[in-house]
């Protein structure tokens, strides 16, 4: 029987560039992570299969797997992993690395992340009216309006309980900036530069 | 002959060490915590891979002990202190009262008279026994025990009154004794890992989730069901039995090591089920089946049974289903499919925790990261306090420890 050698280059790429990427080596393929995950029914692969794909050199499948952006950081898998693999760190590490490579494994998460960080970079806070507005509008204005209409009841309830400020649209009126915006930006930029794969 | 060898633990390795040293001509003090000898081996239904009863070998050993005047036996006793150095130890032994003296003939009249019951520790808590009891039907020493809970009650008085041989001693008290020894063999054995610590298996949620050691008692003729494998929830025969391997083993959150025997134990217990229940289906959920050396043949034999299937998956959750059924959630790592499988009896293959991890030797000893003990100059570990293993390894290890102990005391 003819055998085919695995492509080792991708796993090396992951070990070197992805946060806690070397933890993948620890995995013994027991399958507990995939069953522990509360989003298991939404996941295509789950962590165990992703680790297996990394070892098998399946770059495209891993980097485009929406699972790496579905992880909600509940930490159940990391707590239960019998080998102590930092599952969440690797999942987020993979997502981060994919974005750096210009791959978007899951559009919705990536857009929400952009809206979230935009708000922090602009005002120093996560504005709970602004972020969802910007997020829904990213799919285009018509889609955005339909989406917002769908959420109207929740919005009303939040307004009546003073859990949300009223806005006509994104930036109307603009959110208040925090004091020391300059210092925060400096910190964020430094953190960004220190992220794995950038240096060390 | 000069100095004695003190052996702690009357299980397979301790008994082997004691006998080998005594039969080589050395005086031996054997200290056992339980009221009987034989340890965990006495609780097994069958050995793997031969599927023969462990008691036939134990009885031969007990006969050797009985006929050897060099062995001094303490039961219901624990070593609480060790002082001195190799060649000159003073060992403190604490003995709990049995409330029954050597006049006992094991007639059982005390048990008939007593009404109170206690959980059977010999059956790992699966059944209730009378509070005046023979530890098990082939116990050595063959003598009853009265549980301290009834000593000061009416039941205690009834037991004393019922005894025709004046063997019940209600004012029996704990005794502290100091024994001198030149060398010590520590063979305190192991405990099954506490299954309730693996919280996602919900061990305490159903009587139909049991451990592998409990399964031995369920299959044993002297066990709580007379050897019938049943669901403890309703007494019915199970139809779909699951074995979950590595339940708390090879896991950094629990026992990080492989106990080496649980795979074989489950393969063996699968044969118990198939022997008794012709229609029952058995599924063994595993990470890897570790059947070493000659045991590989046993694995092959069990695999050939078409009603025993193997699924490569560590079960991640046991949840209750309808009508008391248990639903096992896992990911089949061969096919990649996530599944929910229904079973009516689940056996958790828990591993061996060394007793030296749970309670340390009262001397300056070195342990590894898991609590297994390393040999010191005059104190030698034997059996499962040194590493997990099967019975014949314990016998060999006991013999080896006896030789090391003899080397310390010889010529002194």
């Amino acid at each position: 029987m003819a055998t085919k050698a695995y492509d080792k280059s991708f796993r090396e790429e992951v070990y070197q560039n992805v946060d806690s990427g070397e933890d993948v080596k620890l995995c013994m393929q027991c399958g507990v992570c995939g069953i522990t995950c509360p989003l298991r029914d939404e996941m295509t692969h789950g962590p165990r299969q992703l680790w297996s794909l990394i070892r098998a050199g399946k770059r495209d499948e891993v980097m485009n797997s929406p699972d790496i952006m579905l992880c909600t950081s509940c930490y159940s898998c990391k707590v239960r992993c019998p080998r102590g693999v930092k599952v969440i760190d690797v999942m987020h590490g993979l997502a981060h690395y994919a974005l750096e490579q210009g791959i978007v494994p899951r559009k919705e998460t990536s857009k929400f992340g952009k809206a979230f960080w935009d708000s922090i970079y602009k005002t120093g806070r996560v504005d709970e009216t602004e972020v969802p507005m910007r997020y829904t509008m990213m799919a285009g204005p018509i889609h955005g309006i339909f989406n917002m209409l769908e959420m109207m009841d929740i919005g009303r309830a939040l307004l009546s309980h003073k859990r949300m400020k009223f806005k006509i649209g994104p930036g109307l009126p603009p959110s208040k900036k925090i004091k020391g915006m300059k210092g925060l930006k400096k910190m964020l930029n430094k953190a960004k530069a220190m992220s794995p794969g950038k240096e060390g | 002959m000069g100095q004695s060898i003190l052996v702690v633990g009357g299980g397979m390795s301790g008994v082997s060490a004691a006998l080998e040293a005594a039969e080589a001509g050395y005086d031996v003090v054997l200290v056992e915590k339980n009221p009987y000898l034989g340890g965990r081996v006495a609780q097994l239904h069958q050995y793997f891979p031969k599927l023969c009863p462990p008691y036939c070998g134990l009885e031969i050993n007990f006969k050797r002990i009985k006929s050897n005047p060099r062995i001094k036996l303490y039961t219901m006793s624990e070593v609480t202190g060790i002082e001195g150095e190799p060649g000159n130890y003073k060992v403190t032994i604490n003995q709990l009262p049995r409330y029954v003296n050597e006049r006992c003939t094991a007639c059982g009249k005390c048990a008939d008279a007593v009404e109170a019951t206690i959980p059977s520790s010999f059956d790992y808590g699966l059944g209730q026994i009378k509070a005046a009891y023979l530890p098990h039907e082939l116990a050595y020493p063959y003598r009853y025990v009265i549980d301290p809970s009834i000593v000061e009650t009416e039941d205690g008085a009834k037991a004393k009154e019922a005894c025709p041989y004046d063997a019940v001693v209600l004012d029996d008290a704990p005794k502290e004794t100091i024994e001198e020894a030149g060398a010590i063999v520590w063979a305190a054995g192991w405990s099954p890992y506490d299954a309730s610590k693996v919280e996602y298996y919900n061990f305490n949620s159903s009587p139909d989730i049991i451990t592998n050691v409990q399964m031995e008692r369920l299959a044993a003729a002297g066990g709580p069901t007379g050897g019938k494998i049943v669901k403890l929830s309703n007494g019915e025969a199970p139809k779909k039995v699951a074995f979950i391997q590595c339940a708390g083993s090879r896991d950094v959150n629990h026992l990080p090591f492989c106990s080496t025997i649980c795979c074989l134990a489950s393969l063996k217990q699968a044969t118990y089920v198939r022997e008794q229940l012709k229609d029952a289906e058995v599924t063994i959920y595993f990470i890897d089946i570790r059947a070493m050396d000659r045991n590989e043949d046993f694995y092959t034999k069990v695999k050939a049974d078409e009603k025993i299937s193997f699924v490569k998956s560590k079960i991640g959750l046991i949840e209750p289903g309808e009508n008391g059924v248990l639903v096992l959630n896992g990911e089949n790592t061969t096919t990649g499919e996530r599944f929910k499988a229904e079973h009516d009896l689940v056996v958790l293959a828990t591993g061996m925790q060394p007793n030296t991890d749970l309670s340390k030797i009262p001397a300056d000893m070195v342990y590894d990261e898991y609590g297994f003990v390393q040999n010191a100059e005059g104190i030698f570990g034997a059996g499962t306090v040194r590493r997990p293993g099967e019975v014949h390894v314990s016998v060999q290890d006991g013999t080896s420890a006896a030789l090391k102990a003899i080397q310390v005391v010889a010529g002194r």
Side-chain angles (χ1 to χ4, degrees), chain B residues 274 297-310:
Chain B
R274 294 287 298 120
D297 288 343
F298 184 65
Y299 174 35
T300 310
K301 197 182 96 186
V302 174
K303 241 186 354 185
D305 186 329
E306 56 186 24
K307 292 220 163 184
I308 301 178
S309 48
F310 292 79

Side-chain angles (χ1 to χ4, degrees), chain A:
Chain A
M1 200 174 80
T3 53
K4 201 180 137 209
Y6 284 144
D7 175 8
K8 291 179 197 161
S9 63
F10 180 53
R11 73 173 97 135
E12 291 304 328
E13 193 181 331
V14 169
Y15 299 158
Q16 277 163 33
N17 299 310
V18 171
D19 184 14
S20 304
E22 287 206 312
D23 272 29
V24 171
K25 293 179 187 171
L26 293 173
C27 174
M28 66 173 169
Q29 294 286 304
C30 73
V32 155
C33 49
I35 282 309
T36 307
C37 181
L39 285 175
R40 58 183 176 267
D41 294 334
E42 307 297 320
M43 293 231 173
T44 319
H45 302 107
R48 180 198 66 81
Q49 285 186 39
L50 286 171
W51 297 181
S52 187
L53 291 167
I54 290 169
R55 288 164 169 180
K58 305 281 183 192
R59 193 177 199 280
D60 290 346
E61 276 182 80
V62 174
M63 299 287 268
N64 288 295
S65 172
D67 297 6
I68 59 180
M69 278 200 156
L70 263 175
C71 172
T72 60
S73 314
C74 78
Y75 282 83
S76 300
C77 54
K78 187 173 167 178
V79 166
R80 287 196 183 164
C81 174
R83 300 284 291 161
V85 173
K86 296 190 279 296
V87 185
I88 294 175
D89 306 49
V90 186
M91 291 293 264
H92 289 322
L94 283 169
H96 192 78
Y97 184 61
L99 289 177
E100 270 180 11
Q101 304 293 307
I103 301 167
V104 182
R106 188 171 183 271
K107 272 188 207 136
E108 301 92 314
T109 312
S110 151
K111 278 181 186 160
F112 185 82
K114 194 177 176 311
F116 183 93
W117 283 105
D118 278 355
S119 173
I120 291 177
Y121 265 93
K122 270 194 194 130
T123 63
R125 60 174 101 232
V126 181
D127 187 313
E128 282 163 0
T129 316
E130 192 86 18
V131 173
M133 266 183 177
R134 287 196 184 273
Y135 171 62
T136 48
M137 286 308 213
M138 277 173 183
I142 296 177
H143 187 269
I145 286 163
F146 271 107
N147 223 338
M148 280 196 259
L149 284 173
E150 243 174 65
M151 302 290 286
M152 201 159 66
D153 287 347
I154 294 175
R156 270 201 196 123
L158 285 170
L159 277 174
S160 69
H161 287 88
K162 298 194 172 150
R163 292 315 223 172
M164 197 170 77
K165 279 174 286 177
F166 182 76
K167 286 197 178 195
I168 303 166
L172 298 169
S175 319
K176 242 173 118 181
K177 280 186 190 175
I178 60 156
K179 286 178 193 167
M181 203 44 227
K182 245 186 177 174
L184 179 71
K185 257 188 195 168
K186 237 181 176 176
M187 280 160 66
L188 291 172
N189 287 336
K190 193 174 177 189
K192 206 174 180 184
M194 280 166 69
S195 71
K198 287 284 164 79
E199 50 182 65

Side-chain angles (χ1 to χ4, degrees), chain A residues 28-36 40-46 48-49 78-84, chain B residues 199-200 249-253 287-288 312-317 329-333 336-340:
Chain A
M28 66 173 169
Q29 294 286 304
C30 73
V32 155
C33 49
I35 282 309
T36 307
R40 58 183 176 267
D41 294 334
E42 307 297 320
M43 293 231 173
T44 319
H45 302 107
R48 180 198 66 81
Q49 285 186 39
K78 187 173 167 178
V79 166
R80 287 196 183 164
C81 174
R83 300 284 291 161
Chain B
E199 81 281 8
Y200 45 88
S249 293
R250 299 175 67 195
D251 189 330
V252 293
N253 305 304
I287 307 175
D288 310 284
K312 190 167 165 58
S313 167
K314 181 173 164 76
I315 297 301
L317 177 69
N329 290 250
E331 182 182 6
N332 182 325
T333 63
E337 283 163 321
R338 285 185 280 267
F339 62 84
K340 283 175 186 276

Side-chain angles (χ1 to χ4, degrees), chain B residues 327-351:
Chain B
V327 184
L328 276 54
N329 290 250
E331 182 182 6
N332 182 325
T333 63
T334 311
T335 62
E337 283 163 321
R338 285 185 280 267
F339 62 84
K340 283 175 186 276
E342 294 190 344
H343 290 277
D344 52 5
L345 179 65
V346 176
V347 183
L348 303 178
T350 51

Side-chain angles (χ1 to χ4, degrees), chain B residues 51-99:
Chain B
L51 305 179
C52 55
Y55 239 91
C56 82
L58 278 178
E59 272 188 304
I60 294 168
N61 282 329
F62 296 159
K63 193 162 175 265
R64 285 162 79 191
I65 290 175
K66 211 173 178 176
S67 60
N68 197 318
R70 290 194 181 279
I71 299 178
K72 184 175 178 184
L73 175 64
Y74 286 86
T75 53
M76 304 185 74
S77 300
E78 285 189 80
V79 166
T80 53
I82 298 172
E83 274 172 36
E85 60 283 314
N88 180 30
Y89 287 112
K90 283 194 171 49
V91 181
T92 311
I93 298 165
N94 265 357
Q95 187 167 36
L96 292 176
R98 185 189 271 262
Y99 303 105

Side-chain angles (χ1 to χ4, degrees), chain B residues 203-226:
Chain B
F203 178 58
N204 293 323
S205 70
S206 162
D208 297 334
I209 307 175
I210 61 173
T211 62
N212 47 3
V213 286
Q214 290 177 324
M215 184 62 164
E216 291 296 325
R217 298 313 303 152
L218 212 49
T225 56

Side-chain angles (χ1 to χ4, degrees), chain B residues 99-152:
Chain B
Y99 303 105
V100 176
N101 66 23
E102 60 283 355
R103 283 197 288 270
C104 174
T105 64
C107 70
K109 290 209 168 84
C110 56
D112 293 340
V114 163
E115 274 164 38
T117 60
I118 52 167
S120 166
S121 63
F122 192 77
D123 293 328
Y124 294 102
L126 285 188
Q128 290 279 325
I129 51 167
K130 286 284 182 72
Y133 62 98
L134 189 64
H136 62 96
E137 56 193 351
L138 293 164
Y140 180 90
Y142 197 59
R143 204 198 295 176
Y144 271 65
V145 184
I146 293 194
D147 193 74
S149 65
I150 63 158
V151 167
E152 287 177 5

